[in-house]
Amino acid sequence: VQGISVITLKPLETALMIAPGQYVYFHLHEEKFPFSIAEQRADSSLVFHLRHGASHPQAQALLEHLKTVGRIPLSGPFGKCVLPNPPQPCLFIAGGTGISPHQALIDHALSLSFKQIELYWGLRNLEDCYLQAW
């Protein structure tokens, strides 16, 4: 989808201990930017969704940095967005690339056999539906 990138980064050092729904900070030029983790794969790589372009300069700068340098410092994880225990019906509401932490939580809920999960995902237009296979 134009203007949205799904990027995968693999930590160079030890794997981060991440719970579904958490986020990390990307450190770029003495600034830090929070990004939610959409998925942590079995090989410890992390998946992020970024909307970029002129109206999203932080994400655009991050992508340019990754293209030229190939890596970026991270810190975290942070955040306490977790699934209820015991499992109970869940409602997720997201907009655009804000689906990232919800994707991680929903995948985790499905692995735990949650019985009732509803997702409302607001998009600017149909072309922004970049997770059709999911």
Side-chain angles (χ1 to χ4, degrees), residues 23-36 48 50 57-62 65 72-75 78:
Y23 64 95
V24 296
Y25 282 107
F26 288 96
H27 297 264
L28 182 63
H29 309 302
E30 298 185 25
E31 293 186 74
K32 61 182 184 179
F33 307 104
F35 283 93
S36 295
F48 301 90
L50 284 79
Q58 295 170 342
Q60 191 66 36
L62 171 69
H65 176 84
I72 190 164
L74 301 176
S75 61
F78 302 101

Side-chain angles (χ1 to χ4, degrees), residues 18-130:
I18 294 173
Q22 290 190 305
Y23 64 95
V24 296
Y25 282 107
F26 288 96
H27 297 264
L28 182 63
H29 309 302
E30 298 185 25
E31 293 186 74
K32 61 182 184 179
F33 307 104
F35 283 93
S36 295
I37 302 161
E39 179 184 357
Q40 183 175 28
R41 296 190 173 152
D43 68 354
S44 299
S45 61
L46 305 174
V47 178
F48 301 90
H49 304 170
L50 284 79
R51 179 176 292 281
H52 52 86
S55 61
H56 296 85
Q58 295 170 342
Q60 191 66 36
L62 171 69
L63 288 175
E64 292 301 321
H65 176 84
L66 287 171
K67 286 178 188 175
T68 57
V69 178
R71 61 175 150 178
I72 190 164
L74 301 176
S75 61
F78 302 101
K80 297 179 182 178
C81 182
V82 296
L83 294 171
N85 187 12
Q88 52 190 285
C90 291
L91 171 65
F92 296 92
I93 301 172
T97 56
I99 190 75
S100 297
H102 301 298
Q103 180 185 8
L105 288 165
I106 291 169
D107 286 344
H108 187 60
L110 292 171
S111 76
L112 297 174
S113 301
F114 273 56
K115 299 295 183 212
Q116 186 178 353
I117 301 169
E118 291 188 50
L119 168 65
Y120 291 89
W121 183 18
L123 301 167
R124 294 176 184 187
N125 52 57
L126 188 56
E127 292 78 35
D128 281 354
C129 187
Y130 62 95

